[in-house]
Amino acid sequence: MIFMFQSLAAMEKYSMNKSRVARYARLAAPLWAAAVLCGAQTSNASAEDVIRFGAPLPITGPLAPEAIKQQQGYDLWAEEANKAGGISVGGKKYKVEIVYADYQSNTPRAVQATEQMISQDNVNFMFGAFGSGAAKAASTVSEKYKVPTLAATASSVQVYDQGYKYLFGTFTPNDTLTTPLTQIIKAKVPEVKKVAILARNDLFPLAIAQEMEKSAKANGFDLVYFEKYAIGTLDHSATLSQIKSLAPQWIFVTGYINDLLLIRKQMVDQEMKAPIVTMIAGPAYQEFIESGGKTAENITSASWWHPAERYEGKDIFGSTENFVKLFKAKYKSEPDYGQASAALCGALFQMAIEKAGSLDRDKVRDELAKLDVVTFFGPVRFGANGQINSLDPPVFQIQGAKPVVLFPEAIKQGDLKVGVN
Amino acid sequence: MHAAQILVNAVVLGCLYACIAIGFSLVWGVLNVINLIHGSFIVLGAYLAFGLYNALHISPWYSIAVAAPLFFVLGYLLQRLLLNRVITAPVLVTLTMTFGLDLILNNAMIYFFKADYRKLTLTPSLGSVSIFDVVVPVDRLIATVSALALTGLLYLLLRRSRVGRAIVAVRLDRDAAVLMGVDVKSIYAIAFGLGAALAGCAGVLMALIFPISPLTSSGYLGKAFVVCVLGGLGSVSGALAGGLLLALVEGIGSTFFGPAHATTLSFILLIVFLILRPQGLLGRKGFE
């Protein structure tokens, strides 16, 4: 609505002040020409020894917190790569430059931004837009121009089943998050039978909830409630009262951090208790634990990566420990899966380019498809559709204000605790 | 019992909605300005409460006393220095002005506070009270009572004080008020200041209940808008009636049709009101 008013106002003003517009245009023309000349000069100078990576991100708007995370990951990688002299291509070192564009949490603009980066900003390679929805939409453009694209935060299979050759993603399919969790709970807490699912009506949160529905049914749970809530819902009290009246033993909620903080607060307000409460995707973030305080205790969740993992990798970061150390030194906070996945995408590009020994997009694409390597993020190998298929995403629980890994066995830090009050 | 719980939830939420909307309604009713900065004022109030509690351990109950004068001055100055210059222009101009101011304030908040979601968590937490299985969280209860108190205070101010009568007079007939010797520009600034103060206080109360982030401002603004249309513009009791109606419809809609349709239902209600009763539940026809 606001934008409608805005454009109306602009139109009104435009028609009133046509002559003024013309005057501005006359004034602006030489400035514009100068800017273009300067731009052309710098891009000529830098095209020789710089590799440009395009990163369209929702830097403003409701998804801004997520964009900041991805940006931190890319920046950390670029800094590390440049500290080491850059990416070596056939014996010559190239500096890394990341070109950001803000698509204002608006998916159509993500598509435009991708088009602009490839056709006007002359980027060599692309990072995908945030989340499954925007990454899928923007991938049509990078596929058209045959630009290898690494999507750091797209997990839904629908992104990868388009038969695209140039799109790769570092998140495993959604069911890899829900299945291990369901099996752990079935084995450890057999008295849990009734499950209630509440999902944010949005591509990824809803897809996760649907996977949960499938895996709950497959494992013999009794699904007593499955509803969606609208994006931007301010109050969940009526919904939660209804769930409470059904007395489920396992409450499974999906959404982003603001939704989950609000729902958790309202659950406490309504004195809702359950043996198991799972929330995806907020609890992986440090802000959730800090903001949730005591109410975050014993909440289970799953994510694609966890700082407690211990992989010895062949990428620029070397090991999970080293990555965490570098991240903490730069940003004074613990990294989560979003930041790690973004940094991983940079590191993977670096490996593929160095192996290809060329900036040729097709050669780099082939090297990405062939990758079979252990990184700080875990083993990386892409399936035929471009989505990673080599990872076991960790299941974890907030215990003593810290996320404790319950699965996979190799990095397990503790056992499941029952009871969320 | 479930029905009673839904009803109680709706009443409490309705009062919160009224609290969000009342300042917006006052400004729209008196100044004929659709104040798009209202949502950002609420968020700024929430940050004030968050900052005072975490840095100086000042309880949000006292923060209201800080927020009210601070926001009044902010609103007063904004109206005096900026909005009064365009107040006689068509409504689209003032709308664009507040839209621009909102962009500035909202982005400034993103810049200074970041877009992270924060939560004001009281220690020890206030808990909930339950009567016959109907649970009401104490913080919401206090916010409800405070919302009612603020609404009552505004009502008294408009009815009993000289300034309040002048505000109502300007709202009824600007030209007649000028002829009676009312300094309209100053009344405008006072009304806008009051609106801002109410938004700031609402923000302090909302900080206890909702996560805090600059990104939530449009949510508050949207609710305020709907409540005003339902209840009637510029009327104190109208905001309360609109808030209660909206919360009730959302609660019932969410229970019977699923939470995804609660918003749809509330907007259908909005359209029905716009067609059949554009003056709102308690608004009077002919007032702008």
Side-chain angles (χ1 to χ4, degrees):
Chain A
M1 180 191 74
I2 287 166
F3 289 104
M4 194 184 72
F5 285 130
Q6 188 190 23
S7 50
L8 270 175
M11 272 161 57
E12 190 185 51
K13 201 168 178 187
Y14 178 75
S15 58
M16 281 185 334
N17 297 323
K18 259 186 185 161
S19 59
R20 199 185 289 174
V21 171
R23 205 165 66 223
Y24 282 138
R26 277 202 298 278
L27 273 173
L31 284 174
W32 177 78
V36 166
L37 280 175
C38 288
Q41 259 177 359
T42 49
S43 68
N44 273 342
S46 59
E48 286 163 23
D49 46 9
V50 166
I51 308 179
R52 289 158 72 86
F53 293 85
L57 286 178
I59 293 166
T60 54
L63 294 173
E66 306 286 349
I68 292 167
K69 286 177 189 292
Q70 272 195 266
Q71 211 168 6
Q72 287 177 333
Y74 296 141
D75 287 345
L76 181 64
W77 164 66
E79 192 182 294
E80 287 305 309
N82 288 336
K83 235 192 258 170
I87 300 180
S88 79
V89 185
K92 193 178 167 206
K93 290 270 189 183
Y94 286 74
K95 291 273 181 199
V96 170
E97 185 191 335
I98 297 177
V99 182
Y100 289 107
D102 175 20
Y103 65 80
Q104 295 147 22
S105 306
N106 176 340
T107 300
R109 287 203 189 143
V111 180
Q112 288 168 11
T114 306
E115 177 101 38
Q116 191 183 346
M117 283 180 158
I118 297 172
S119 60
Q120 292 170 35
D121 298 338
N122 300 321
V123 298
N124 300 79
F125 305 101
M126 286 294 299
F127 293 118
F130 172 77
S132 293
K136 180 174 179 170
S139 67
T140 52
V141 177
S142 44
E143 186 72 15
K144 183 174 81 183
Y145 289 102
K146 299 188 172 171
V147 180
T149 303
L150 271 170
T153 49
S155 61
S156 302
V157 179
Q158 294 92 316
V159 180
Y160 303 98
D161 64 5
Q162 312 177 86
Y164 286 178
K165 263 184 75 189
Y166 292 84
L167 177 66
F168 299 89
T170 50
F171 277 0
T172 50
N174 295 329
D175 63 325
T176 58
L177 295 189
T178 53
T179 308
L181 187 67
T182 318
Q183 284 164 352
I184 290 172
I185 286 162
K186 191 183 173 188
K188 295 266 167 79
V189 209
E191 62 272 23
V192 169
K193 288 275 176 270
K194 286 201 273 180
V195 183
I197 300 176
L198 179 62
R200 176 178 155 118
N201 198 359
D202 201 351
L203 197 121
F204 165 71
L206 188 58
I208 279 276
Q210 284 161 343
E211 284 305 332
M212 180 60 212
E213 182 187 13
K214 272 192 234 159
S215 71
K217 282 182 178 162
N219 284 287
F221 288 96
D222 177 16
L223 189 68
V224 293
Y225 184 91
F226 183 21
E227 281 293 349
K228 298 166 264 188
Y229 61 89
I231 297 170
T233 301
L234 261 185
D235 184 80
H236 298 270
S237 49
T239 313
L240 293 173
S241 294
Q242 203 181 357
I243 295 179
K244 189 184 175 189
S245 70
L246 298 166
Q249 291 134 334
W250 184 3
I251 301 171
F252 187 97
V253 190
T254 72
Y256 294 113
I257 182 164
N258 56 324
D259 309 310
L260 299 178
L261 277 175
L262 181 60
I263 291 172
R264 185 67 197 116
K265 162 85 169 67
Q266 293 204 289
M267 282 173 71
V268 176
D269 284 349
Q270 303 222 1
E271 298 178 344
M272 284 173 77
K273 290 168 187 162
I276 307 286
V277 175
T278 302
M279 295 190 151
I280 291 178
Y285 294 163
Q286 196 59 34
E287 299 98 286
F288 182 88
I289 300 172
E290 279 168 17
S291 303
K294 276 188 189 149
T295 65
E297 278 301 295
N298 287 1
I299 300 234
T300 40
S301 188
S303 69
W304 287 273
W305 178 85
H306 193 278
E309 289 180 333
R310 289 289 171 267
Y311 289 108
E312 290 296 327
K314 295 217 169 354
D315 57 297
I316 185 163
F317 295 107
S319 64
T320 315
E321 258 178 312
N322 188 45
F323 171 76
V324 174
K325 199 182 87 192
L326 290 170
F327 189 93
K328 277 187 178 166
K330 187 166 163 71
Y331 299 112
K332 316 274 177 280
S333 65
E334 188 97 345
D336 54 50
Y337 64 88
Q339 293 142 339
S341 181
L344 170 74
C345 284
L348 291 179
F349 260 134
Q350 181 169 8
M351 279 190 276
I353 293 167
E354 286 179 350
K355 270 196 183 158
S358 145
L359 291 179
D360 182 85
R361 285 172 176 164
D362 282 302
K363 282 187 186 155
V364 172
R365 184 256 154 217
D366 291 343
E367 286 303 328
L368 279 173
K370 273 194 279 182
L371 273 182
D372 188 357
V373 65
V374 178
T375 66
F376 79 93
F377 198 79
V380 174
R381 196 174 56 241
F382 295 109
N385 64 357
Q387 187 167 22
I388 199 167
N389 62 9
S390 50
L391 280 175
D392 267 336
V395 172
F396 63 93
Q397 184 173 37
I398 313 294
Q399 295 178 4
K402 283 211 163 70
V404 170
V405 178
L406 310 176
F407 174 87
E409 284 297 322
I411 54 162
K412 188 171 159 176
Q413 295 173 315
D415 282 310
L416 178 75
K417 285 191 180 169
V418 179
V420 176
N421 299 313
Chain B
M1 203 41 71
H2 183 47
Q5 178 74 61
I6 289 174
L7 200 68
V8 169
N9 288 346
V11 170
V12 171
L13 184 64
C15 291
L16 298 185
Y17 282 170
C19 181
I20 291 171
I22 186 112
F24 185 73
S25 170
L26 178 75
V27 170
W28 195 352
V30 176
L31 281 74
N32 197 23
V33 168
I34 301 171
N35 179 19
L36 297 180
I37 204 172
H38 187 75
S40 290
F41 275 160
I42 294 179
V43 175
L44 194 63
Y47 274 112
L48 181 73
F50 179 82
L52 287 177
Y53 185 71
N54 285 322
L56 306 170
H57 304 289
I58 296 176
S59 149
W61 321 124
Y62 301 118
S63 300
I64 292 189
V66 182
L70 213 64
F71 276 83
F72 179 83
V73 172
L74 180 68
Y76 186 91
L77 290 177
L78 214 59
Q79 178 71 30
R80 269 272 146 164
L81 302 176
L82 291 172
L83 279 163
N84 265 349
R85 293 171 188 270
V86 291
I87 196 81
T88 49
V91 71
L92 204 59
V93 177
T94 50
L95 185 97
T96 317
M97 178 79 144
T98 58
F99 177 75
L101 289 172
D102 179 56
L103 280 183
I104 294 171
L105 179 59
N106 206 270
N107 282 288
M109 284 195 290
I110 293 181
Y111 183 79
F112 288 111
F113 307 137
K114 294 203 279 184
D116 289 347
Y117 285 89
R118 287 153 212 271
K119 186 86 200 63
L120 199 163
T121 319
L122 291 179
T123 38
S125 83
L126 296 169
S128 309
V129 286
S130 45
I131 311 153
F132 302 117
D133 273 2
V134 174
V135 188
V136 188
V138 174
D139 52 10
R140 280 193 177 218
L141 208 59
I142 295 175
T144 306
V145 174
S146 314
L148 287 173
L150 283 175
T151 318
L153 269 176
L154 180 67
Y155 185 80
L156 282 180
L157 184 85
L158 292 181
R159 291 274 148 179
R160 298 285 158 86
S161 73
R162 224 179 133 73
V163 174
R165 295 320 290 161
I167 290 176
V168 175
V170 171
R171 175 168 127 71
L172 288 176
D173 191 329
R174 183 177 178 274
D175 297 331
V178 175
L179 291 174
M180 295 300 130
V182 175
D183 177 1
V184 173
K185 288 215 160 171
S186 151
I187 289 299
Y188 277 160
I190 289 171
F192 198 86
L194 276 176
L198 286 164
C201 295
V204 172
L205 294 172
M206 295 308 131
L208 286 166
I209 296 165
F210 300 117
I212 308 163
S213 160
L215 309 176
T216 53
S217 75
S218 57
Y220 291 131
L221 185 67
K223 293 288 177 208
F225 196 83
V226 178
V227 168
C228 281
V229 173
L230 295 183
L233 278 180
S235 135
V236 175
S237 42
L240 209 52
L244 286 171
L245 179 64
L246 178 65
L248 209 59
V249 167
E250 283 185 355
I252 293 170
S254 155
T255 311
F256 291 104
F257 305 104
H261 302 293
T263 326
T264 324
L265 214 64
S266 65
F267 277 99
I268 291 175
L269 186 75
L270 175 77
I271 293 170
V272 170
F273 261 74
L274 282 174
I275 296 169
L276 299 178
R277 204 179 156 78
Q279 74 272 32
L281 276 178
L282 300 178
R284 270 172 280 177
K285 233 179 189 161
F287 288 10
E288 264 222 326

